[in-house]
């Protein structure tokens, strides 16, 4: 079959970096950190395998600015207390084969992992399954410099770029959402106010890393919650990002708010947020990436060929087949076979994929898919055992 899209053409970002093709591994929290915020041999191997597979961009999910608001005790934490040499090793392995290896900068805010944190969001909430305090103003003022510091350290460690996480219901996304953000100061109310923390984080990060280092933003097209951050709000943010110094806008949707829909648990076939991406294209000339729902080469090719997006982002497909771009390029039939789960509990599918990442990092995945219930149990047990490690290691950490 003749290759027909533009998936394998390079793309130059505004900062000058040339990406070798249009295929990215979207950010995934691989949950393989050692419990002290440092990378492990399994991560070196996992990111090396993805790099060898031929993707242009590989994004490490949820790298925390501080230990205080992690999404999971397997997250990496990068700040001045970190052992930079271990991050250097990760950057070296994951950046092989001309891969742009980026860190996604995260702060889980209200959705921080409760056993290791006191979750804080834009506003105090006490809802079923979600309780958080209001972030203090001095903490909020500190935030841009924390993004900047971690980005600068990422650059020093040899990573190729950063992505600021403003999607999926974590802190910056909570600020964007009127459901989480009930503030009446200059950070709440209008969408211009709600996006202030995001824009400040970008500005500080750009100052720290200079003009030629890629900064991406992951943004929801909508939270898919009644009364939440909607497509009109999201288009206003895209228009503001167009005027900012970001290099790439990665479009996603959904949240991990209890009871809500998350993209990583989604079962639909085909790109979830393409209609929004087409609207976003009309308000920005920045490169656009679209993440969520891609399962076949034809879907990826069509999205790029349509002109709506410049890069396609895949997450679960890369868990099932780390060498997907190389196989697609070689014209080998290589559509990953997706497992089907009926009656998966909330978060269960994401847990299953996370445990599959553990297998990939140990080179011990099998063609036979593991059991969903077992994966959920293993996932919870590992987090529980790492919680003690985390608490001991960060006991004196004010962050
Ligand atoms: C195991 C797993 C972990 C994820 N962790 C993150 C994360 O840390 N940051 C993020 O922005 N998205 C994360 N996601 C969401 C993906 O980036 C993506 O938005 C979502 O899975 C939909 O894309 P897909 O259909 O290609 O899987 C995760 C998804 C999975 C499956």
């Amino acid at each position: 079959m003749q290759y027909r899209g533009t998936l394998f053409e390079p793309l130059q970002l505004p900062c000058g970096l040339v990406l070798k093709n249009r295929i990215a591994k979207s950010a995934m929290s691989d949950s393989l950190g050692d419990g002290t915020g440092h990378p492990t041999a399994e991560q070196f191997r996992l990111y090396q395998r993805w790099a060898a597979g031929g993707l242009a961009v590989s994004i490490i999910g949820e790298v925390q600015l501080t230990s205080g608001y992690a999404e999971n005790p397997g997250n990496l934490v990068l700040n001045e207390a970190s052992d930079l040499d271990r991050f250097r090793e990760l950057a070296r392995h994951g950046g092989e084969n001309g891969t742009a290896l980026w860190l996604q900068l995260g702060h889980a805010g209200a959705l921080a992992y409760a056993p290791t944190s006191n979750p804080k969001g834009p506003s105090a909430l006490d809802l079923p399954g979600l309780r958080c305090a209001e972030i203090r103003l001095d903490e909020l003022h500190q935030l841009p410099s924390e993004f900047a510091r971690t980005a600068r350290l990422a650059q020093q460690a040899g990573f190729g770029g950063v992505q600021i996480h403003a999607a999926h219901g974590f802190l910056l996304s909570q600020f964007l959402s009127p459901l989480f953000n009930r503030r009446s100061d200059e950070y709440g109310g209008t969408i211009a106010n709600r996006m202030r923390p995001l824009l400040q984080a970008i500005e500080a990060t750009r100052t720290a890393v200079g003009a030629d280092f890629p900064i991406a933003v992951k943004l929801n097209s909508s939270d898919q919650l009644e009364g939440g951050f909607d497509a009109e709000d999201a288009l206003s943010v895209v228009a503001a990002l167009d005027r900012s110094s970001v290099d790439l806008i990665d479009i996603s949707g959904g949240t991990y708010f209890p009871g809500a829909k998350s993209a990583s648990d989604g079962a639909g076939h085909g790109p979830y947020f393409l209609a929004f991406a087409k609207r976003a294209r009309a308000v920005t000339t920045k490169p656009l990436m679209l993440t969520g729902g891609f399962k076949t080469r034809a879907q990826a090719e069509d999205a790029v060929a349509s002109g709506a997006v410049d890069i396609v982002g895949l997450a679960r497909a890369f868990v099932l087949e780390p060498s997907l771009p190389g196989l697609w390029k070689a014209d080998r039939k290589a559509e990953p076979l997706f497992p089907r789960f009926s009656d998966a509990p909330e978060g269960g599918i994401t847990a299953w994929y996370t445990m599959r990442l553990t297998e990939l990092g140990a080179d011990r995945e099998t063609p036979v898919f593991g059991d969903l219930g077992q994966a959920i149990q293993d996932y919870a047990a590992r987090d529980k055992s790492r919680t003690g490690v985390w608490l001991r290691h960060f006991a004196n950490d004010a962050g």
Side-chain angles (χ1 to χ4, degrees):
M1 183 173 57
Q2 186 57 42
Y3 164 69
R4 63 190 163 87
T6 52
L7 270 189
F8 291 95
E9 279 173 27
L11 175 75
Q12 185 165 31
L13 299 180
C15 66
L17 179 76
V18 177
L19 302 176
K20 67 180 181 181
N21 62 46
R22 310 304 186 89
I23 305 170
K25 183 202 71 71
S26 300
M28 275 187 278
S29 171
D30 53 59
S31 210
L32 286 172
D34 67 356
T36 75
H38 287 99
T40 56
E42 288 74 22
Q43 284 171 312
F44 302 155
R45 179 61 186 144
L46 176 63
Y47 289 90
Q48 182 178 51
R49 288 184 70 180
W50 274 323
L55 42 67
V57 184
S58 177
I59 309 177
I60 303 176
E62 289 285 353
V63 178
Q64 299 297 316
L65 317 176
T66 69
S67 63
Y69 304 97
E71 162 266 347
N72 178 283
N75 286 167
L76 299 180
V77 182
L78 179 57
N79 56 38
E80 51 282 273
S82 310
D83 177 354
L84 212 56
D85 282 341
R86 292 175 67 184
F87 282 86
R88 282 197 181 96
E89 201 166 348
L90 178 57
R92 206 167 48 245
H93 289 296
E96 288 173 5
N97 196 22
T99 303
L101 179 69
W102 297 354
L103 295 188
Q104 183 185 55
L105 309 181
H107 182 311
L111 296 184
Y113 184 65
T116 61
S117 56
N118 297 309
K120 284 185 190 169
S123 307
L125 292 176
D126 191 359
L127 301 169
L130 182 67
R131 179 184 273 185
C132 68
E134 181 178 307
I135 192 168
R136 292 195 318 266
L137 210 51
D138 62 305
E139 293 171 311
L140 192 46
H141 290 157
Q142 182 81 3
L143 203 59
S145 65
E146 291 178 352
F147 276 96
R149 176 200 54 200
T150 299
R152 178 85 188 109
L153 287 167
Q155 188 179 34
Q156 283 170 8
F159 292 93
V162 291
Q163 178 180 75
I164 295 177
H165 196 356
H168 300 172
F170 297 107
L171 186 72
L172 292 176
S173 151
Q174 290 154 24
F175 267 94
L176 292 172
S177 164
L179 280 182
F180 281 101
N181 181 349
R182 299 167 184 179
R183 301 175 71 99
S184 54
D185 61 6
E186 73 269 33
Y187 297 100
T190 62
I191 183 62
N193 284 350
R194 285 181 273 134
M195 70 172 94
R196 200 178 300 280
L198 168 61
L199 297 183
Q200 289 176 344
I202 295 168
E203 208 181 311
T205 302
R206 178 56 75 202
T207 304
V209 298
D212 54 6
F213 192 70
I215 303 176
V217 167
K218 189 162 183 176
L219 178 72
N220 270 1
S221 49
S222 122
D223 291 348
Q224 303 181 314
L225 288 174
E226 188 74 32
F229 178 72
D230 62 16
E232 298 311 315
D233 278 350
L235 286 172
S236 302
V237 179
V238 172
L241 292 177
D242 187 65
R243 299 186 292 270
S244 79
S245 64
V246 298
D247 292 287
L248 178 69
I249 306 170
D250 177 5
I251 294 169
S252 185
T255 94
Y256 293 102
F257 186 96
K261 282 203 278 190
S262 72
S264 55
D265 259 13
H269 199 270
Y272 300 154
F273 311 110
L274 184 58
F276 176 84
K278 289 181 175 159
R279 296 181 69 194
R281 178 89 291 169
V283 297
T284 184
T285 55
K286 296 280 186 191
L288 289 179
M289 168 168 157
L290 180 63
T291 291
F294 287 105
K295 291 191 164 53
T296 66
R297 181 168 85 171
Q299 290 165 351
E301 281 172 357
D302 288 350
V304 173
S306 77
V309 297
D310 304 287
I311 302 179
V312 290
L314 300 93
R316 289 167 296 178
F318 269 114
V319 183
L320 299 169
E321 180 44 84
S323 303
L324 205 54
L327 295 169
W328 279 351
K329 194 173 181 187
D331 246 342
R332 300 239 312 267
K333 178 158 170 45
E335 305 304 5
L337 185 64
F338 283 78
R340 290 192 173 274
F341 301 111
S342 52
D343 299 330
E346 189 175 309
I349 293 178
T350 310
W352 186 91
Y353 279 92
T354 310
M355 295 318 292
R356 180 100 182 159
L357 287 175
T358 305
E359 295 172 9
L360 289 185
D363 283 297
R364 59 172 170 79
E365 76 276 14
T366 59
V368 181
F369 292 144
D371 178 64
L372 178 69
Q374 187 63 48
I376 295 172
Q377 266 182 33
D378 293 347
Y379 179 85
R382 182 173 60 181
D383 282 354
K384 198 165 168 218
S385 73
R386 254 185 328 211
T387 295
V389 179
W390 183 283
L391 290 174
R392 277 192 298 282
H393 182 78
F394 293 114
N396 300 317
D397 201 332

